[in-house]
Amino acid sequence: MNELAKLIKEADGKTVFFGGAGVSTESGIPDFRSADGIYSEKYGRLSPEVLVSRSYFEAEPEAFFDFYRKKLLYPDALPNDAHLSLAKLEEAGLLSCVVTQNIDGLHTAAGSKNVIELHGSSLRNHCVRCGKKYSVDAMLNSNGGPRGERGGIIRPDATLHEEALPEGAFESAVRAVAESRLLIVGGTSLAVYPAASLTRYAGGKIVLINLTPTGADKGADLAIHEKIGRVLSETVREIGI
Ligand code: CNA
């Protein structure tokens, strides 16, 4: 944490954080690939990859939303030490941007302003027929496939398997990462592309914070295998903000 604090100070505001589902596990939201993550569970004959795919959403909307509501929506989750520490770093002028693969909105809830949501958000939803926007309540207060006023199905503005990322999101993330002096990668298995390829664009040093080793550990300047909430909150304390 001493070393990380030093690197953040040296980067002089040009630090970017790139994270994934592991950032929100301490808020009670399971990730996909941990031993107790969503992918460790069995859902009949279908893999979770299929359950969150575009083709499954189109073919079996009722079953898709059943899984989505049970496993991917956590309306009562609150930001944890990791989210709050990143917001503090941004407020202190030490972090330029958060790039997240998460769809839970917790970075914004924690106070982060410059957030690139690479996979969209579960908090924003729209009718596929008329485009009308709906809050997450439309998802929570429905059974099966939620329907809008005009009968169209309402879906989250979240990227499903087989879908392209939101327009411009990846390009903005690449730019931010390339301009950074320090890239902190945290709580991600780096298994989902193209998001995982972001580390290749790093303009400066790379620090990895993940409970389990990742394929990018070897190329990193520092790899910390501990809970990210503790690592970031102690680092922020070390910096003195
Ligand atoms: P992943 O593949 O599940 O990897 C998560 C990683 O985080 C694992 O390697 C864990 O070891 C690690 N981890 C778990 N808890 C902690 C912790 N407390 N501290 C440090 N490391 C931890 O998830 P990725 O984000 O890499 O995969 C991308 C998918 C997951 C995206 O498409 C997301 O939309 C999707 N997802 C998002 C959420 C969310 O929004 N909170 C939840 C579940 C899945």
Side-chain angles (χ1 to χ4, degrees), residues 119-221:
H119 293 162
S121 173
S122 62
L123 304 184
R124 299 185 296 272
N125 303 274
H126 70 277
C127 169
V128 297
R129 187 174 292 170
C130 68
K132 185 175 172 187
K133 294 180 183 2
Y134 289 87
S135 76
V136 70
D137 294 342
M139 298 303 195
L140 295 167
N141 303 329
S142 59
N143 293 311
R147 297 274 166 185
E149 286 153 25
R150 297 185 190 168
I153 201 138
I154 306 171
R155 64 157 287 176
D157 295 6
T159 309
L160 304 176
H161 278 269
E162 304 162 356
E163 288 185 328
L165 303 189
E167 210 184 325
F170 190 68
E171 293 73 8
S172 302
V174 167
R175 214 172 306 123
V177 167
E179 286 168 4
S180 71
R181 281 197 208 156
L182 174 65
L183 175 64
I184 306 174
V185 182
T188 172
S189 62
L190 294 173
V192 175
Y193 283 81
S197 66
L198 268 183
T199 56
R200 291 185 206 146
Y201 299 91
K205 295 194 169 166
I206 300 182
V207 173
L208 274 158
I209 309 166
N210 207 60
L211 274 182
T212 50
T214 73
D217 285 21
K218 268 193 188 156
D221 296 274

Side-chain angles (χ1 to χ4, degrees), residues 20-21 25-26 32-33 101 103-104 119 188-189 210-212 228:
T25 53
E26 292 169 60
F32 276 175
R33 293 177 185 81
Q101 297 166 85
I103 57 169
D104 55 32
H119 293 162
T188 172
S189 62
N210 207 60
L211 274 182
T212 50
I228 194 162

Side-chain angles (χ1 to χ4, degrees), residues 10 26 32 34 43 51 63 84 100 117 124 129 144 180 185 196-197 219 222:
E10 281 171 6
E26 292 169 60
F32 276 175
S34 283
Y43 298 95
L51 290 164
L84 296 168
T100 183
E117 292 175 321
R124 299 185 296 272
R129 187 174 292 170
S180 71
V185 182
S197 66
L222 177 66

